Amino acid sequence: MTALRPETFPTPSAAPTVPGGTSLAARTPVRSAGPVVTELRLSAFASHRGAAFPIGPVTLFGGPAGSGKSSALRAYEALARLGGGDPLDEVFPDPAACVPEGAAADAQGRRGFRIGCTADGPAGPVRLDVAIQAEPTLRIVGERLTGSGETLLTTALRDPGRATVQAAWHTAGAVPVTRAPLPDDRLGTALLPLRVAGRTEGQLRVLAAAEQMVVALRSVFACEPQPQWMRAPVHVGDDRLRRGCDNLAAVLERTRAQCVQRHARLVAAAHAGCAGTVTALGVERLGDGSLRAMLGRGGGRATPVERLGDGELRYLALALVLLTGPEAVAVDTAGEVPSAMQTLAVLADGLDRDLDGGQLRELLALAVSVGATGHLRLIGTVTEPNAERARETPGVTVVDLEP
């Protein structure tokens, strides 16, 4: 197979390390149901430079304010959206904020940032690295997909006057390399399944690597429970949990009817993390046909969720996400992949917000338990004090960041 000329992307490191010197390479692996992201690289993004973070089944970024916890999750979600085919301007509405502080423009006034990841699966470790120009025009100026030590796809900006990049990928047939223009506002890797015929050995390898990366990136759900929204009644049938979890009641009605065992585990989790005794989780249909969630207290008593505190509501929503997986959340999973081979990655910035220590421990233990099946991964951020608590839970990886 003819190798493509490597572009100026970071070279693979033998063993990823975390800033501050903490090595997280020696971990007992959990076999995932399908392709998963195992490393996040922020070569030049916001406050990060030359950073590589291992991503395990339950990974938490800890550190003081300004250490880059939220920006790490923001980069992960951006890669996921690009892998799903979203246009660049929707993924990065404020691209200048992603450029490392103090980064100088070149002679043409150009500044940008670089992000990437590694996805493990049947094709082995596959690396994706993307260079994005933020100024003066937002565009992808370079992309590289590699697997088995070979570069399978490269793109480069050849003519700044055109809204395209020149792409080259392996063919390994009569023509060893195929070259074609691709749009500069879409991830080329996500477009390859539509452009590569798959007739030669080289094309099949390119397709396998691209599809593995896309599947690993697409099944991502960014969860930001908003208690002030969760207290309002919701419409019947709105049962795909949204990012803010404001349609909690409709999702509970669905899980109670369709996921009996997982719903029972959710009731047990609610009992462990909410004040007082919780014997049931259900819904009440109001006069206008809308639904509100209720906690059964035993003896015929019930508490509407609007009476719960912010921490209890956030805890309940996060437990629901961890237990239901991709079947009940609003995420664009790969429809062509059987559910038995899909893994949902839950992103939770500020995972510990409004939670007490006991609630956080319960959630992390639940995430580890559910993650052991290989169908769910949790990547979140926590404050410094709670990072120390998280280390006490076996199976949780804590990445320490410094400002």
Side-chain angles (χ1 to χ4, degrees):
M1 182 178 291
T2 303
L4 299 176
R5 179 179 63 83
E7 301 292 339
T8 54
F9 288 96
T11 55
S13 56
T17 59
V18 176
T22 303
S23 175
L24 298 174
R27 295 284 178 180
T28 302
V30 173
R31 184 177 298 276
S32 297
V36 293
V37 171
T38 54
E39 183 182 66
L40 175 68
R41 291 183 296 282
L42 306 182
S43 304
F45 184 82
S47 62
H48 300 279
R49 289 181 181 271
F53 305 119
I55 304 295
V58 181
T59 302
L60 302 178
F61 291 90
S67 59
K69 304 186 297 292
S70 295
S71 60
L73 258 65
R74 191 163 71 247
Y76 192 127
E77 185 181 2
L79 285 167
R81 294 186 61 185
L82 290 173
D86 285 2
L88 199 61
D89 59 350
E90 293 183 8
V91 176
F92 296 105
D94 184 14
C98 302
V99 178
E101 186 175 0
D106 65 11
Q108 287 74 43
R110 297 176 297 190
R111 298 197 311 153
F113 51 93
R114 292 171 180 262
I115 56 179
C117 64
T118 297
D120 277 3
V126 175
R127 288 173 54 97
L128 171 68
D129 294 284
V130 187
I132 298 171
Q133 176 184 292
E135 299 171 347
T137 304
L138 180 63
R139 62 200 316 179
I140 295 177
V141 295
E143 180 179 345
R144 186 173 73 176
L145 185 72
T146 60
S148 301
E150 297 178 287
T151 304
L152 303 175
L153 164 74
T154 58
T155 72
L157 182 65
R158 302 300 184 196
D159 183 354
R162 296 178 179 273
T164 59
V165 291
Q166 184 64 31
W169 60 83
H170 280 298
T171 307
V175 178
V177 174
T178 299
R179 303 182 188 275
L182 292 177
D184 66 357
D185 67 340
R186 295 290 199 283
L187 190 69
T189 297
L191 299 175
L192 284 180
L194 304 175
R195 301 294 297 268
V196 180
R199 296 192 182 96
T200 68
E201 177 189 352
Q203 289 175 338
L204 290 172
R205 292 185 65 184
V206 170
L207 281 175
E211 290 172 354
Q212 176 170 296
M213 180 61 68
V214 169
V215 170
L217 287 174
R218 278 175 59 181
S219 296
V220 167
F221 180 64
C223 184
E224 296 184 75
Q226 302 293 324
Q228 68 274 22
W229 301 344
M230 295 168 62
R231 293 185 172 94
V234 300
H235 296 295
V236 177
D238 184 12
D239 57 4
R240 298 282 287 179
L241 191 66
R242 294 193 291 264
R243 183 178 188 131
C245 303
D246 46 299
N247 59 335
L248 176 73
V251 180
L252 282 176
E253 184 181 51
R254 177 184 173 189
T255 61
R256 186 178 59 171
Q258 299 180 5
C259 313
V260 177
Q261 291 184 340
R262 280 179 288 182
H263 188 81
R265 290 191 68 183
L266 181 61
V267 173
H271 177 69
C274 295
T277 301
V278 178
T279 59
L281 285 171
V283 297
E284 178 184 24
R285 194 175 297 266
L286 302 179
D288 61 358
S290 61
L291 303 173
R292 70 174 177 183
M294 306 287 291
L295 273 66
R297 297 297 194 179
R301 296 185 304 110
T303 302
V305 295
E306 58 260 34
R307 298 180 66 89
L308 300 182
D310 286 0
E312 290 176 300
L313 284 172
R314 282 182 50 81
Y315 170 86
L316 189 60
L318 290 165
L320 175 63
V321 173
L322 294 176
L323 283 168
T324 55
E327 296 92 345
V329 300
V331 58
D332 180 25
T333 55
E336 65 277 9
V337 179
S339 59
M341 299 180 65
Q342 292 187 12
T343 300
L344 178 70
V346 177
L347 304 185
D349 191 16
L351 174 69
D352 57 343
R353 190 179 307 129
D354 297 324
L355 302 184
D356 61 32
Q359 289 170 327
L360 180 61
R361 283 192 294 271
E362 289 290 340
L363 277 180
L364 292 179
L366 182 62
V368 171
S369 173
V370 176
T373 67
H375 288 280
L376 184 135
R377 295 162 79 83
L378 173 64
I379 302 95
T381 67
V382 293
T383 58
E384 278 190 288
N386 281 326
E388 294 299 325
R389 292 191 179 98
R391 288 189 184 89
E392 300 171 0
T393 303
V396 176
T397 297
V398 178
V399 179
D400 290 310
L401 300 182
E402 298 177 359

